[in-house]
Amino acid sequence: MVVKIGVNALAVGMYVVDTGLSWMEHPYLYSRQGRIDSEKILQALRKEGYAEAFIDTQKSGLDDDAARRLSGGTLFTEAFTAHARPSAASGKPVPMEQELPAAKKVYEDSLAFARDFIHKAYLEKQVDVTRSQAFVDDVITSVARNRDALTGLCKLRVYDEYTYTHSINVTVLATAFGQFLGLAEAELRPLGLAALFHDIGKANIPREVLNKPGRLDEREFQVIKRHPLESYSLLKDKEALKFQVLPAIVEHHEKYDGSGYPRGIGGEDISMFARIVSLADVYDALTSERVYKKGMPASQALGVMYGMREKDFHPTMVERFIKCLGVYPVGSFVRLSDRRHGLVWSSNAQAPLAPTVKTAFDDAMRPIPVELVDLSLCDKTSAGPPLSIAEAVDPRLFHIDMTAVMN
Ligand SMILES: [Fe+2]
């Protein structure tokens, strides 16, 4: 598990996690990945003014009590245990296996569309928004039938260039979250469009700054910070985007504590759509593979985002976002308490810690007959302690092809 702790509580032997969050936006976050192996390092990073760090509790050898004490509150997973465990029937009109083929088609078509409109925007500084509505509508329809299919695919499809997948993933995640929050279809459309076009202004940012693999310096960061307003200037004449879409795009880097950009507004002043897009944006960025960084496992990314509540995000919104996706989002690879391994197959909003898992490997990662295990029902059927998720596991460590398990 990942928890955020104050730098004064860091000790020799603890294992710091690199979240991949921009150091310019989080200057007080110490994030050089690895074990703290000397008192000298601690003294140096205190002197440099770092205030917080995310640590991996298991690699740091900490039990839950110690992690709770150090993080000064409820652990990420505990915040979502207080819910009743009703039956697994979560009201999804169509089961996962039925929606999956349609969702794959929607994802592939949307990705092809994104390649097209983003390519044109970079080359011609023009955005054709006329075809976008139909793609957003397809996403809304698939998500209404089954939220898990498209959100799971976002994390499992073969990697394409980040700029294209990010635009579609944020659209899917924002739409799914909006639907979870109970927004009407008429509201999901502008929300989806805001998500689709949120970063299009990057087309007006010099390539050498945008694609710089290392850390940005202060001047380059100031250039990057222009992109929400560049998105606005590319889209401001589009009548269909005027009211709810453009404000959300402009505000997608504003933060709850007022430390964001471009205007530094905070709290309730940030529009609801912008708050949704920003959660989807950060989640996808944390979990995505980039040239210069590995993607975080989804549950770890949600742990980091939980640690960012009240600073970056509205606390209630981040909690709802985690409930929407589940503590272990669909597509996560997990080890169960009986030591079997499998893929999280469908979420359970009433019991975010107890999704349905498709078990496919034994303790030693040997293939076993596939079984769908609904963890929310396991306490009623098993004689021993209820079956539960022991931990999320990184499938890359075992060279497991998750798409094969998904099919
Ligand atoms: Fe952005």
Side-chain angles (χ1 to χ4, degrees), residues 198-199 202 227 252-253 281:
H198 74 283
D199 267 352
K202 286 186 176 171
H227 81 269
H252 79 271
H253 282 286
D281 181 25

Side-chain angles (χ1 to χ4, degrees), residues 197-247:
F197 294 123
H198 74 283
D199 267 352
I200 198 68
K202 286 186 176 171
N204 284 350
I205 303 293
R207 289 278 176 112
E208 62 275 17
V209 177
L210 211 52
N211 299 330
K212 185 179 172 183
R215 288 188 158 195
L216 299 173
D217 64 28
E218 178 65 37
R219 187 198 62 83
E220 291 161 336
F221 187 58
Q222 293 304 327
V223 173
I224 287 277
K225 279 166 78 172
R226 291 202 321 247
H227 81 269
L229 290 173
E230 296 291 347
S231 297
Y232 175 84
S233 64
L234 279 171
L235 299 169
K236 65 181 188 300
D237 299 328
K238 314 289 181 194
E239 199 58 38
L241 308 183
K242 238 173 197 163
F243 294 108
Q244 290 165 292
V245 182
L246 283 175

Side-chain angles (χ1 to χ4, degrees), residues 51-65:
E52 294 169 326
F54 281 96
I55 59 163
D56 183 315
T57 57
Q58 271 131 338
K59 287 185 181 166
S60 301
L62 297 171
D63 62 18
D64 284 358
D65 279 342

Side-chain angles (χ1 to χ4, degrees), residues 236-290:
K236 65 181 188 300
D237 299 328
K238 314 289 181 194
E239 199 58 38
L241 308 183
K242 238 173 197 163
F243 294 108
Q244 290 165 292
V245 182
L246 283 175
I249 289 174
V250 170
E251 294 169 11
H252 79 271
H253 282 286
E254 299 289 2
K255 292 183 186 174
Y256 185 69
D257 68 357
S259 67
Y261 57 88
R263 287 194 291 150
I265 57 171
E268 313 293 325
D269 291 338
I270 305 169
S271 73
M272 174 66 113
F273 284 6
R275 289 186 240 166
I276 295 173
V277 171
S278 107
L279 283 159
D281 181 25
V282 172
Y283 174 75
D284 189 61
L286 288 175
T287 53
S288 289
E289 199 90 14
R290 306 289 296 274

Side-chain angles (χ1 to χ4, degrees), residues 111-385:
L111 200 54
F113 169 64
R115 271 187 220 112
D116 193 43
F117 84 76
I118 292 173
H119 192 65
K120 271 197 190 125
Y122 277 69
L123 281 182
E124 299 166 20
K125 312 296 176 203
Q126 295 279 345
V127 189
D128 176 10
V129 302
T130 48
R131 291 167 61 217
S132 56
Q133 184 70 68
F135 289 96
V136 169
D137 280 354
D138 286 348
V139 170
I140 293 170
T141 309
S142 174
V143 160
R145 287 191 299 249
N146 186 306
R147 205 167 50 230
D148 294 333
L150 262 182
T151 54
L153 284 175
C154 287
K155 292 292 115 206
L156 289 174
R157 297 311 285 164
V158 176
Y159 298 113
D160 203 320
E161 192 180 324
Y162 176 75
T163 313
Y164 309 137
T165 53
H166 182 64
S167 156
I168 299 307
N169 290 354
V170 175
T171 306
V172 167
L173 291 160
T175 307
F177 185 37
Q179 190 236 25
F180 174 82
L181 294 173
L183 299 186
E185 202 174 310
E187 294 174 293
L188 291 177
R189 281 204 189 111
L191 173 63
L193 289 168
L196 189 66
F197 294 123
H198 74 283
D199 267 352
I200 198 68
K202 286 186 176 171
N204 284 350
I205 303 293
R207 289 278 176 112
E208 62 275 17
V209 177
L210 211 52
N211 299 330
K212 185 179 172 183
R215 288 188 158 195
L216 299 173
D217 64 28
E218 178 65 37
R219 187 198 62 83
E220 291 161 336
F221 187 58
Q222 293 304 327
V223 173
I224 287 277
K225 279 166 78 172
R226 291 202 321 247
H227 81 269
L229 290 173
E230 296 291 347
S231 297
Y232 175 84
S233 64
L234 279 171
L235 299 169
K236 65 181 188 300
D237 299 328
K238 314 289 181 194
E239 199 58 38
L241 308 183
K242 238 173 197 163
F243 294 108
Q244 290 165 292
V245 182
L246 283 175
I249 289 174
V250 170
E251 294 169 11
H252 79 271
H253 282 286
E254 299 289 2
K255 292 183 186 174
Y256 185 69
D257 68 357
S259 67
Y261 57 88
R263 287 194 291 150
I265 57 171
E268 313 293 325
D269 291 338
I270 305 169
S271 73
M272 174 66 113
F273 284 6
R275 289 186 240 166
I276 295 173
V277 171
S278 107
L279 283 159
D281 181 25
V282 172
Y283 174 75
D284 189 61
L286 288 175
T287 53
S288 289
E289 199 90 14
R290 306 289 296 274
V291 180
Y292 52 88
K293 75 162 185 81
K294 285 192 182 316
M296 275 189 149
S299 62
Q300 205 175 58
L302 290 177
V304 168
M305 290 172 74
Y306 187 68
M308 292 162 74
R309 70 195 187 285
E310 286 168 359
K311 285 193 171 171
D312 293 60
F313 306 122
H314 192 294
T316 320
M317 288 291 280
V318 84
E319 282 169 20
R320 287 179 181 175
F321 186 70
I322 294 167
K323 276 184 202 162
C324 168
L325 292 181
V327 171
Y328 303 96
V330 170
S332 298
F333 192 58
V334 293
R335 182 168 60 80
L336 298 184
S337 50
D338 66 1
R339 306 202 63 82
R340 279 183 294 171
H341 293 82
L343 178 91
V344 175
W345 180 250
S346 67
S347 64
N348 185 338
Q350 277 79 37
L353 284 167
T356 295
V357 176
K358 198 173 188 181
T359 55
F361 303 95
D362 69 4
D363 189 14
M365 226 44 100
R366 289 175 298 226
I368 53 173
V370 169
E371 189 189 344
L372 279 179
V373 181
D374 181 346
L375 294 174
S376 73
L377 300 176
C378 283
D379 50 353
K380 291 167 192 156
T381 52
S382 60

